[in-house]
Amino acid sequence: MIRRLGLLQRGGRAFLADAGGLAAIELALTLPFAAMLMSLVVYGGQAYWVQRKVTLAATTVANIFAQANNTNTSTITAAELNQILAYPNLILYPYNATGVAVEVSQLQVTVNANGTATGTVCGSWANANGTPRPINQQLSVDPSIAAAFSGSANNDSPNCNSTANYVVLGEVQYPFQPTGLYFAVSTMTLHDSIIMIPRVASPITVQ
């Protein structure tokens, strides 16, 4: 019995003294957690970068639409509108932009008695993946933005009141699917919306 105990003790000391074996065990225990941590870093970096692209896309759509060719007639042709709605596809490159949804809307803004502001949709357009906002839908708007611009009497839009304040709302939604991860992650929709002040006096129409 004593001899067997001695053999066990010597075997245990030999096992503990085997640094290579301990390193292999430590690697087997820590590798999955390290791989998961690296995947989270990659996922966060990709999501942050794509979100910046989504913000830039929404800003571009609202900004270019608000220019309305910088003409007094304040009109945009259907071909020009389609080009504006397609810009996010270029901005999101090299990511696959086939599922991106783009909407641009014009809001007639009124300031309420309590100091809040409401934007009423008087025109909305979208790409093939998006859905235009319903006419007369109401949204909350920052009162300071509402007071930044007033329309003029030159009005050729049937839904926008030329004497009211109005703004342009650009929206982009992108189904983001991360790549190169250690584990599977479901698709996450990244979204941003930007309000721009029109560059022209009268409400913008699409011909």
Side-chain angles (χ1 to χ4, degrees):
M1 180 63 70
I2 296 175
R3 183 179 179 182
R4 291 180 179 176
L5 291 175
L7 291 174
L8 291 174
Q9 290 177 350
R10 286 194 296 272
R13 286 194 295 268
F15 176 77
L16 293 175
D18 189 352
L22 288 177
I25 294 175
E26 292 175 353
L27 179 62
L29 293 175
T30 59
L31 182 59
F33 297 99
M36 184 175 294
L37 180 61
M38 292 180 61
S39 296
L40 290 175
V41 172
V42 172
Y43 173 74
Q46 288 184 6
Y48 174 79
W49 177 243
V50 176
Q51 180 61 54
R52 291 293 300 268
K53 285 178 170 286
V54 169
T55 300
L56 177 59
T59 303
T60 301
V61 169
N63 192 10
I64 297 180
F65 184 89
Q67 295 178 24
N69 295 324
N70 288 320
T71 62
N72 292 329
T73 56
S74 304
T75 59
I76 293 179
T77 65
E80 291 169 338
L81 175 64
N82 290 333
Q83 185 177 15
I84 293 173
L85 295 175
Y87 282 137
N89 295 62
L90 301 176
I91 295 173
L92 287 166
Y93 182 84
Y95 295 94
N96 184 3
T98 56
V100 65
V102 185
E103 297 95 18
V104 60
S105 305
Q106 193 163 223
L107 310 180
Q108 178 176 307
V109 183
T110 56
V111 179
N112 305 314
N114 59 2
T116 62
T118 302
T120 302
V121 177
C122 57
S124 186
W125 305 265
N127 70 348
N129 297 320
T131 302
R133 288 186 173 273
I135 300 299
N136 295 325
Q137 181 185 25
Q138 294 188 337
L139 306 171
S140 297
V141 177
D142 189 338
S144 62
I145 296 177
F149 183 84
S150 296
S152 74
N154 298 324
N155 182 24
D156 52 7
S157 174
N159 298 310
C160 292
N161 184 350
S162 63
T163 60
N165 298 348
Y166 60 97
V167 294
V168 174
L169 171 66
E171 300 174 278
V172 173
Q173 300 90 31
Y174 179 66
F176 169 62
Q177 178 62 58
T179 59
L181 300 185
Y182 176 71
F183 53 92
V185 177
S186 59
T187 301
M188 177 177 60
T189 300
L190 302 178
H191 169 268
D192 207 349
S193 59
I194 302 294
I195 287 180
M196 286 284 178
I197 304 300
R199 308 294 201 281
V200 292
S202 59
I204 302 167
T205 58
V206 178
Q207 293 181 336

